[in-house]
Amino acid sequence: MVIKCSVSNVCLESHNLAFEWYWVLVIGACPTFINILNYNMSLFATRCVRPFFFHHYTLETSSFVQIRGYAARKGTRERKRKAKVKSVVEKVGFIPHNQRDKEKFLANRKQRKVDDSWKGDPTDDVYVAKYFKWKVYPFGEAVQCHRETHHPDMYNQPNANLHVSIELDMQGEKKTRFLDNFTRIVATPHRFDHGEERAVIAFCKDPDLQQSAVEAGAQLSGGVELIKQIQNGQVSLQDFNFVVAHPEILPELVALRGLMKRKFPNPKAGTLDVDLATLVKKFMYGINYTAVKDEYEKDFGIIETVIGTLNMDAKHLEENYVALIKDVYTMKPRRTGEFFRRCLLWSPPSQEKLKVDHESYLDIPKKQEVEEDDDKDSKEDRIAL
Ligand SMILES: *[C@@H]1O[C@H](CO)[C@@H](O)[C@H](O)[C@H]1NC(C)=O
Ligand SMILES: *[C@@H]1O[C@H](CO)[C@@H](O)[C@H](O)[C@H]1NC(C)=O
């Protein structure tokens, strides 16, 4: 394209027709300085140079200014027109300060659910962990790994507690319903020191059974005379965490119902059974665990508990683990889909968490069987617990 300037007969030639052409001829404002300014307006020029020149070389300030401006691009005009429109400030109703924080907190919050099922399996021994699925360790190997880090050469805590985190899908039967927190105790095949102070009181009529309950670990056991002592105030129920009983003493025990309230033995809570010694052992030495539902991510629940110590036999630890997950699984709501998200083994002070399998330990029935097997009673059980 050739542009001819009639005043100075200067030809401007340019082959670059990318955007807009502006040329400004200034004579008079500074007579020795005759400039033909030729601007190929790139994006930079549109934003910065043009406003600058229009500001400095206007018709009033120079005796002769020729400005030839080709029309701005459609897109530019559009943008300017839009910029002129006043932005309307949306009015927001009053939000109490604690809720304002909550929104901010939620926005910045990292999701607690971890789903790596879409990631691929690693194809090599060395890989960037975050791009692949988490490795699922065989139980024994995971224990071995933790033993290595807790070896006297490293953390030097060979008998540290072995913790397990079980992440749950708290989704209830309906989309809008979620399971609540639940606390349970599960009998463990292999005893370990859980470090909690627990006291159990056992009720039964048979003196032999009372004796066996004490041998099993109950702080106190007795029959009708013990019920009297409690009524007299000689013995306080406050001193006991758990009350267990043999069904034969139930008619007499009813007198204490008001005192015991929720501790009153019942089969649903698993505190009423013929085998009193086993019952006492369960409450004394079992694994106490609580599933905590996330306050915001309501379908995320987590159980964190201890299943033993690292110096225990790996097989025994595995059996404790299996007992635990089987018990947790009884809380699964009547719906399809997974209940367990994943299970992790860890052992403080190490931060390392190793994923272990759960599916192979649970004989998860097929979809149809679930619907047939579960009746209304078991559903009510779960809600009550
Ligand atoms: C069970 O463990 C929780 C902590 O997870 C604790 O608060 C509670 O007191 C324990 N229950 C008993 C009976 O020790
Ligand atoms: C569940 O337990 C957690 C931790 O103890 C608590 O913050 C939360 O309020 C509980 N949720 C319900 C629904 O009780």
Side-chain angles (χ1 to χ4, degrees):
M1 180 188 175
V2 176
I3 295 167
K4 287 207 168 155
C5 167
S6 58
V7 177
S8 55
N9 269 336
V10 175
C11 289
L12 300 169
E13 244 184 86
S14 173
H15 304 286
N16 190 346
L17 301 172
F19 293 106
E20 295 156 288
W21 287 82
Y22 275 82
W23 53 276
V24 181
L25 178 65
V26 183
I27 308 168
C30 36
T32 54
F33 192 61
I34 298 170
N35 263 338
I36 297 165
L37 303 170
N38 177 8
Y39 289 97
N40 177 3
M41 304 298 280
S42 65
L43 198 62
F44 166 76
T46 324
R47 289 205 184 133
C48 315
V49 183
R50 195 174 57 188
F52 173 78
F53 272 96
F54 277 11
H55 179 75
H56 287 274
Y57 303 96
T58 54
L59 287 170
E60 290 86 40
T61 54
S62 56
S63 56
F64 175 70
V65 177
Q66 184 181 353
I67 298 169
R68 194 187 275 184
Y70 290 86
R73 274 191 315 144
K74 217 176 179 186
T76 313
R77 269 182 270 154
E78 187 82 352
R79 203 170 59 233
K80 294 219 155 164
R81 194 177 50 77
K82 270 192 190 149
K84 272 181 200 161
V85 177
K86 251 193 185 173
S87 59
V88 182
V89 181
E90 265 183 46
K91 283 190 180 169
V92 185
F94 177 75
I95 303 170
H97 75 279
N98 53 350
Q99 280 172 33
R100 268 177 247 168
D101 285 350
K102 204 188 263 179
E103 299 228 321
K104 201 170 153 193
F105 165 73
L106 281 180
N108 300 330
R109 196 165 180 268
K110 206 179 147 197
Q111 268 222 340
R112 294 186 72 187
K113 288 190 281 280
V114 176
D115 179 19
D116 63 2
S117 58
W118 57 277
K119 292 181 184 171
D121 288 310
T123 51
D124 206 345
D125 330 353
V126 180
Y127 55 92
V128 182
K130 68 174 176 180
Y131 298 126
F132 296 95
K133 272 190 188 131
W134 269 45
K135 178 177 168 147
V136 179
Y137 286 81
F139 194 91
E141 197 183 320
V143 172
Q144 190 52 37
C145 289
H146 284 306
R147 278 188 187 149
E148 279 166 16
T149 53
H150 290 68
H151 190 268
D153 292 343
M154 292 179 73
Y155 285 117
N156 191 15
Q157 295 191 16
N159 54 356
N161 281 343
L162 182 62
H163 292 241
V164 63
S165 295
I166 303 174
E167 297 178 3
L168 300 174
D169 186 341
M170 300 294 261
Q171 176 74 60
E173 285 157 44
K174 288 183 189 159
K175 268 264 176 282
T176 50
R177 294 288 223 102
F178 299 95
L179 253 65
D180 277 331
N181 291 353
F182 59 88
T183 298
R184 289 169 67 91
I185 284 203
V186 53
T188 44
H190 304 283
R191 196 187 291 183
F192 61 95
D193 179 16
H194 50 62
E196 285 170 16
E197 297 241 335
R198 297 186 195 162
V200 176
I201 185 167
F203 291 93
C204 60
K205 280 181 180 165
D206 182 0
D208 287 346
L209 218 55
Q210 291 173 8
Q211 185 57 31
S212 73
V214 170
E215 277 163 14
Q219 267 67 20
L220 201 58
S221 74
V224 182
E225 72 292 349
L226 183 58
I227 295 174
K228 291 237 168 68
Q229 285 178 330
I230 291 169
Q231 283 174 320
N232 298 341
Q234 285 169 281
V235 175
S236 167
L237 279 175
Q238 301 292 316
D239 302 337
F240 302 95
N241 302 97
F242 303 102
V243 180
V244 295
H246 189 286
E248 63 171 10
I249 204 169
L250 213 52
E252 287 86 353
L253 208 60
V254 171
L256 297 179
R257 181 162 235 157
L259 282 173
M260 290 182 184
K261 292 182 187 124
R262 294 188 59 188
K263 281 186 193 161
F264 192 80
N266 67 80
K268 269 183 196 171
T271 45
L272 190 69
D273 199 82
V274 213
D275 190 353
L276 210 56
T278 312
L279 213 54
V280 171
K281 277 186 195 149
K282 171 180 163 181
F283 286 99
M284 282 305 291
Y285 309 111
I287 298 174
N288 160 29
Y289 69 88
T290 301
V292 179
K293 180 169 66 175
D294 191 275
E295 205 180 330
Y296 304 103
E297 234 175 296
K298 292 208 189 303
D299 60 346
F300 181 89
I302 190 162
I303 294 170
E304 288 191 330
T305 191
V306 176
I307 56 168
T309 53
L310 282 179
N311 56 0
M312 282 168 71
D313 189 337
K315 273 269 166 293
H316 292 181
L317 286 168
E318 187 170 4
E319 281 165 32
N320 280 358
Y321 169 71
V322 173
L324 171 68
I325 60 171
K326 282 196 168 149
D327 189 74
V328 175
Y329 198 70
T330 61
M331 295 300 289
K332 184 185 189 293
R334 261 163 52 96
R335 61 162 168 79
T336 56
E338 293 276 315
F339 183 44
F340 288 66
R341 291 184 192 277
R342 58 176 189 172
C343 300
L344 307 172
L345 283 188
W346 50 291
S347 180
S350 167
Q351 299 286 313
E352 191 177 32
K353 293 192 176 185
L354 303 175
K355 185 174 174 180
V356 286
D357 188 36
H358 55 266
E359 276 167 12
S360 59
Y361 299 111
L362 305 164
D363 25 54
I364 298 172
K366 295 266 182 301
K367 197 179 150 191
Q368 288 128 356
E369 283 172 33
V370 174
E371 279 161 11
E372 280 163 18
D373 287 352
D374 284 17
D375 48 28
K376 267 220 156 131
D377 287 359
S378 62
K379 178 185 157 193
E380 278 163 15
D381 272 12
R382 282 165 196 168
I383 290 166
L385 284 166

